[in-house]
Amino acid sequence: MNEIDLAFTPALELAQLIRRRELSPLDLVEIYLERIERLNPQLGSYFTVTADLAVADAKAKTELLSTTSELPPFFGVPISIKDLTSVAGVTCSYGNPALVNNIANHDDGVVTRIKQAGFTILGKTATSELGSYPYSEPTGFTPARNPWNLEYTPGGSSGGAASSVAAGLSAIAQGSDGGGSIRGPAACCGVVGIKPARGRVTKAPVGDRLGGIAVNGPIARTVADAAAMLDVISGYFTGDPYWLPDPQPSFLAATQQKTDNLKIAFSTSILPLGDADANCKQGVLQTVQLLAQFGHQIEEKCPDFSGLVEPFQIVWQSGIAAAGLPAEALQPVNRWLLARSSSVGEYLQAVAKMQIVSRQIIAFFDTFDVLVLPVYLHSPIRVGEWANLSPEETFENIVNWVAPCPVANATGLPAIAIPVGFDSNGLPMSVQLMGKPAAESTLISLAAQLEAANPWIQHRPAFAL
C-alpha cells in the first residue's frame, strides 16, 4: 500500500495494520506530517501542528509494540483536535488572534479519552472565532478551505477537522457541535459526522453550558470509524451533571446490525425558514428512495421548528459573552452579537422556553424512528463570500443556511451527517439522519446500510492526491 492509500485508509484498518506489526505508529505519523507540511499552507486545516510531540509519542508507541500485545483500540492512529478543545501544553486559540499564545494547562475530558484509546495527536484544527460561524475564516489565521474545491468553505466551526479528514491530513478528527458545527463541515467535505445525544460525551472539566446545546463528537471517513470513536469518547466523568449509560452492544457493533422496518419521516423544507435548494433537496430525495427500497416506511412529514428559533438564538449567542473577551478583540459579527447579549433572566427564560418547545418536537419521535433532513439549506459558500456584508446581514444568512441543524442541539437528539454523492458544482452532497433520544445506534445502523449501498470511501479530492 502506498503512502497516499495509507493516508486515506480508514482509522480502524490503520489500527489493525499497526496491531499486526505491518505498519509502525512512527511511519504513519511521518506520512501524515509530510502531507500536512505540503498541503496545509493552501488548505488551512490546522492552526497548530504538534509535530515534535506527535513524533515523540509515535516513537514511544513504536517501541511499545515490541513489548506488549495489550493495545487500546486506536493505538498509534493519528487524530486531529479542534482548536476549541484543550490539550495540555498546546495552544488553544479559540480562533481568536489575541489567544494565539494561550497554552492549555489541562486536557479536556474528551482528549483524555482520546489519549486512553491510543490515538496520537497531530495538532489543533481550524475553527471559526469562538465556534460562532458555519465557516472557518477567523481574522489573523489562514482561512480553512474545502479540499474538493479550494474556492469553497469546508464549513464551520469544525471546518479544519472535516477538511483534515477529507484531504488525508488526519485519519479521523474530534469536532464539536453547538448548532451544526460537526454535521455542516462533514457535509461540506464529504465525510461522516456524528452529533451525539446530550449526555453521551462528557464536557469535563467544565459543567453544563448554554443549556446543553453543545457536544463533542467524531468526524471520520466511514460510519464504522465514527461509531468506534464515539464508543471510546462516550461515558461518565466524575461530576458530570447528566450522562447516558454505555450502549449495549457497542456503537461499532451497531454498524453490523440490520435495522428493523423503521418508520422514517423526511422533509426538504424547514419551518419557518424555507426550502432547501435543488442540490440539497436531491440528496434527501435520493436517500429516502433508497430507504424505501430497504423496506422502511417513508412519509413526508416534519415538526414545525418555529418556536425554537428565538430561544435558541438567545442561548447560543450568550456563548460570546461567556467567553469573556472584550468587544474590541472580536470579529464584527461576534462584536455585534455581544452587544445584543441578553440579561441573565432573559437567558434563563430562553433556556426554559427552548426546553418546552423541545418536548413538543421530541414527541414527534413517538410516531417516527428517524427524520431525514438536509444538513444545510444550500450548497457550500465560497471562502469570503459574506465578508463584505453587515453583521446583521451575515447573521441572517447564517440562520437561513444552517436551519436544519440547531433543532438537534436544542432538543439533545442525536444526528448523523453522511455523504450521498456530489452536487452540480462537484462538491459533496450530504443528508442528516436525526433519531429518538439516545438512539445513536439506530442512526449508525441505518447510516451503515446507506453506506454499503452507496460507498463513497473511494472518492478522494484531486487536490489531496
Side-chain angles (χ1 to χ4, degrees):
M1 193 180 297
N2 63 41
E3 292 186 355
I4 291 178
D5 287 339
L6 283 170
F8 284 94
T9 296
L12 285 168
E13 293 182 29
L14 292 175
Q16 285 301 314
L17 290 173
I18 291 170
R19 198 175 300 274
R20 295 197 299 264
R21 277 65 174 178
E22 297 175 23
L23 179 68
S24 80
L26 182 58
D27 289 340
L28 190 55
V29 159
E30 287 178 341
I31 288 170
Y32 280 109
L33 288 176
E34 185 278 329
R35 292 180 61 78
I36 292 169
E37 183 179 13
R38 180 162 43 88
L39 299 177
N40 193 63
Q42 288 177 271
L43 194 61
S45 292
Y46 287 85
F47 284 165
T48 301
V49 180
T50 54
D52 290 345
L53 293 174
V55 168
D57 184 64
K59 283 181 177 178
K61 286 186 167 83
T62 298
E63 292 174 5
L64 191 60
L65 267 179
S66 62
T67 62
T68 183
S69 58
E70 295 296 320
L71 300 174
F74 285 102
F75 183 82
V77 175
I79 191 172
S80 63
I81 306 295
K82 183 177 177 180
D83 207 22
L84 297 183
T85 303
S86 291
V87 177
V90 179
T91 300
C92 192
S93 74
Y94 303 94
N96 185 284
L99 299 175
V100 293
N101 295 316
N102 175 50
I103 307 298
N105 60 9
H106 68 277
D107 286 337
D108 278 352
V110 69
V111 173
T112 299
R113 290 265 160 79
I114 283 168
K115 289 181 175 180
Q116 289 171 345
F119 285 108
T120 293
I121 295 171
L122 295 170
K124 304 293 290 296
T125 52
T127 177
S128 55
E129 184 182 72
L130 306 181
S132 299
Y133 313 143
Y135 46 90
S136 304
E137 307 165 26
T139 302
F141 297 83
T142 300
R145 297 178 181 274
N146 194 318
W148 296 96
N149 187 327
L150 297 182
E151 293 184 7
Y152 288 87
T153 183
S157 60
S158 306
S163 65
S164 76
V165 173
L169 302 192
S170 64
I172 198 168
Q174 173 267 339
S176 56
D177 192 316
S181 287
I182 285 174
R183 290 160 288 158
C188 290
C189 294
V191 291
V192 179
I194 299 178
K195 182 265 168 199
R198 183 174 299 150
R200 181 67 68 195
V201 180
T202 185
K203 293 293 289 182
V206 300
D208 177 32
R209 295 183 67 234
L210 304 180
I213 66 174
V215 63
N216 290 294
I219 296 175
R221 292 193 190 93
T222 68
V223 175
D225 277 1
M229 181 173 165
L230 184 56
D231 280 324
V232 302
I233 64 176
S234 294
Y236 174 76
F237 257 66
T238 302
D240 283 345
Y242 43 75
W243 62 93
L244 294 173
D246 292 336
Q248 296 297 331
S250 69
F251 291 127
L252 179 58
T255 64
Q256 301 299 317
Q257 293 181 328
K258 282 197 171 183
T259 55
D260 294 328
N261 192 304
L262 300 176
K263 193 165 183 184
I264 298 174
F266 78 95
S267 180
T268 59
S269 179
I270 304 299
L271 290 173
L273 296 169
D275 296 329
D277 72 4
N279 286 320
C280 297
K281 186 177 294 187
Q282 179 188 356
V284 171
L285 296 179
Q286 285 180 357
T287 299
V288 295
Q289 184 179 26
L290 198 53
L291 292 170
Q293 292 173 14
F294 296 159
H296 301 296
Q297 301 176 53
I298 308 296
E299 184 176 340
E300 186 170 6
K301 196 166 187 180
C302 186
D304 185 346
F305 302 151
S306 301
L308 276 183
V309 175
E310 181 184 8
F312 179 84
Q313 287 181 11
I314 291 172
V315 172
W316 173 81
Q317 71 188 36
S318 67
I320 310 302
L325 293 172
E328 56 271 19
L330 298 174
Q331 288 184 254
V333 176
N334 278 340
R335 198 179 311 139
W336 178 76
L337 289 170
L338 180 63
R340 298 172 73 239
S341 295
S342 303
S343 68
V344 173
E346 290 168 332
Y347 168 81
L348 292 174
Q349 289 171 356
V351 170
K353 184 176 180 182
M354 185 175 72
Q355 292 173 349
I356 290 168
V357 177
S358 292
R359 290 180 189 276
Q360 299 165 5
I361 293 171
I362 293 170
F364 177 84
F365 289 89
D366 291 341
T367 304
F368 292 95
D369 298 296
V370 174
L371 174 61
V372 182
L373 296 172
V375 179
Y376 285 163
L377 286 185
H378 62 77
S379 300
I381 62 171
R382 292 177 182 271
V383 173
E385 185 169 330
W386 296 342
N388 296 321
L389 300 180
S390 69
E392 295 93 333
E393 290 170 322
T394 303
F395 187 69
E396 182 179 358
N397 284 352
I398 289 171
V399 170
N400 289 327
W401 190 26
V402 308
C405 283
V407 62
N409 302 91
T411 58
L413 294 173
I416 181 170
I418 56 170
V420 294
F422 294 89
D423 67 18
S424 57
N425 295 318
L427 294 169
M429 194 164 58
S430 186
V431 298
Q432 68 169 322
L433 314 176
M434 193 179 304
K436 291 175 179 284
E440 291 100 325
S441 292
T442 299
L443 299 182
I444 287 167
S445 296
L446 199 60
Q449 195 175 14
L450 289 166
E451 181 185 52
N454 180 27
W456 54 78
I457 186 66
Q458 73 272 18
H459 296 294
R460 301 174 182 177
F463 163 80
L465 304 181

